[in-house]
Amino acid sequence: MGMGYISTLDQGWIGSLVYLPHGCRVIFYCFFGVRALPALYLAEITGPTLVWGEQYLDWWYIASISSLLSVVIAVEIIKWSKVSSWKPSILLKINFSNYKFLIFVIIISALFNAIFTNLVLSIINGVDLTVQVVARFFIGDVFGSACFIAFLMVMFNMLRSNRLYEVHDN
């Protein structure tokens, strides 16, 4: 069941098990707000097009909108619920309220993305939406975001320890 099982998985499965772009969506939208959406949208539609070609762009530009809206809606839900009162800024020292806010956004937006993006894709392509696909997208978005944030934490800690990045407490 080892390598033979992994080799039978299609590229979509392997690519979505740890999906790093979801972490980018969350971080960039949380720190830069709506100003990040045009760049995130262009990244959403050009990345897969470069890998799989023009036929991928035909239906992905619509699904990309639902991917981005999942993060926007998750952030607004958390702000509305007042679970975290964090005001995003790159220059502030990282503390638990920052992490709590980001963790909530990651989980809620991953769930929305898994459901709504796959729903859009299933309507466009006429493919049945299964629990396995939704679970794969959710797990991939959560793991990808965790990996991306861990990478950023290590990078900023190294920069701060080498005095290349100054932390301002406001």
Side-chain angles (χ1 to χ4, degrees), residues 113-128:
N113 184 45
I115 293 170
F116 296 125
T117 302
N118 282 304
L119 186 64
V120 167
L121 294 176
S122 69
I123 291 170
I124 291 172
N125 291 336
V127 179
D128 291 333

Side-chain angles (χ1 to χ4, degrees), residues 7-110:
S7 65
T8 61
L9 292 175
D10 65 356
Q11 289 179 343
W13 255 103
I14 293 171
S16 65
L17 289 177
V18 178
Y19 192 69
L20 297 175
H22 187 69
C24 297
R25 280 186 221 131
V26 170
I27 293 294
F28 293 141
Y29 184 75
C30 286
F31 282 106
F32 301 110
V34 293
R35 295 175 302 207
L37 290 178
L40 287 170
Y41 180 72
L42 289 174
E44 285 273 347
I45 62 172
T46 56
T49 304
L50 293 174
V51 175
W52 287 289
E54 267 186 52
Q55 79 278 0
Y56 197 72
L57 186 60
D58 292 342
W59 48 270
W60 186 249
Y61 70 94
I62 296 170
S64 296
I65 293 170
S66 69
S67 292
L68 293 175
L69 284 178
S70 68
V71 177
V72 173
I73 292 169
V75 167
E76 293 306 315
I77 286 173
I78 293 169
K79 285 181 182 177
W80 174 75
S81 69
K82 299 189 190 286
V83 170
S84 176
S85 60
W86 178 53
K87 303 282 191 236
S89 174
I90 292 178
L91 301 178
L92 291 178
K93 196 176 238 182
I94 295 175
N95 60 31
F96 183 70
S97 67
N98 299 10
Y99 287 124
K100 186 169 66 170
F101 183 84
L102 289 175
I103 289 168
F104 286 145
V105 171
I106 287 169
I107 292 171
I108 293 171
S109 63

Side-chain angles (χ1 to χ4, degrees), residues 116-167:
F116 296 125
T117 302
N118 282 304
L119 186 64
V120 167
L121 294 176
S122 69
I123 291 170
I124 291 172
N125 291 336
V127 179
D128 291 333
L129 182 62
T130 64
V131 174
Q132 290 87 3
V133 172
V134 171
R136 176 185 65 173
F137 268 67
F138 175 74
I139 292 168
D141 284 353
V142 171
F143 282 153
S145 299
C147 290
F148 183 71
I149 290 173
F151 166 75
L152 289 177
M153 288 171 44
V154 169
M155 184 182 72
F156 281 120
N157 282 333
M158 285 182 359
L159 290 173
R160 187 175 52 211
S161 68
N162 291 328
R163 299 186 192 276
L164 298 174
Y165 173 70
E166 188 175 324
V167 176

